[in-house]
Amino acid sequence: MADETPPVDEMHYEQLAQDALRGVIRSALERAAEPDGIPGAHHFYVTFKTKAPGVSVPPDVMAKYPDEMTVVLQHQYWDLKVEADRFSVMLKFGGLPKVLSMPYTAVTRFYDPSVQFLLQFEAPMEVEPVAAEPEADPQTPPPSTGDDGPKVVSLDQFRKK
């Protein structure tokens, strides 16, 4: 009997797919950063790991959300800056403006409930926090299914018919 070793994915296709899907988030945020803001009824729930590398959140917000938080970008957000590998936004917490900044790799969930569009990602490795995180909206996106297996995304739903 031949001893066959499983093939090694030296292309790292899963990571390439994750990076490509994070590009969808960047493109959506770029639209939101335009002078007219987010079009139509669209709005975004962005869930991220507050202790992920590169995340910057004020300490008082981080104290409230030491692991993960969800922010909502709909009507009241300011100074949205979208870069190739990260974004930052000003939100109000208790009436006070706070700036949050995070790399796309810290995002674990991106949800637009107006069209039921959801992207989920593997949680990044955590580091000790540099700052704190923003408050979550009471209307959070659906919970994770708990399926840690490979993710298959069908592009058929995005094609024009």
Side-chain angles (χ1 to χ4, degrees), residues 38-152:
I38 302 173
H42 292 280
H43 55 289
F44 311 139
Y45 290 84
V46 182
T47 303
F48 63 98
K49 290 293 195 178
T50 56
K51 294 179 185 172
V55 171
S56 175
V57 185
D60 59 323
V61 179
M62 180 66 104
K64 290 181 182 178
Y65 304 95
D67 178 50
E68 184 176 77
M69 78 177 294
T70 300
V71 295
V72 178
L73 301 182
Q74 188 171 12
H75 300 298
Q76 296 188 358
Y77 64 92
W78 300 268
D79 298 329
L80 177 60
K81 293 181 179 73
V82 182
E83 299 176 36
D85 62 341
R86 65 186 306 104
F87 71 98
S88 63
V89 64
M90 180 187 297
L91 300 170
K92 287 191 177 180
F93 296 90
L96 299 174
K98 311 268 179 162
V99 175
L100 311 170
S101 177
M102 72 215 60
Y104 300 111
T105 54
V107 175
T108 58
R109 209 171 310 138
F110 177 86
Y111 181 56
D112 182 343
S114 71
V115 291
Q116 299 297 302
F117 181 77
L118 173 68
L119 293 174
Q120 282 191 231
F121 302 95
E122 300 285 328
M125 298 293 289
E126 294 184 357
V127 295
E128 286 304 311
V130 174
E133 69 183 71
E135 292 181 294
D137 189 287
Q139 297 176 335
T140 57
S144 171
T145 61
D147 178 14
D148 293 328
K151 307 290 187 271
V152 178

Side-chain angles (χ1 to χ4, degrees), residues 1-22:
M1 196 153 135
D3 183 22
E4 293 188 29
T5 58
V8 175
D9 178 10
E10 294 182 35
M11 293 296 295
H12 307 284
Y13 284 114
E14 181 64 30
Q15 187 60 50
L16 291 172
Q18 296 273 315
D19 292 344
L21 289 171
R22 283 189 168 95

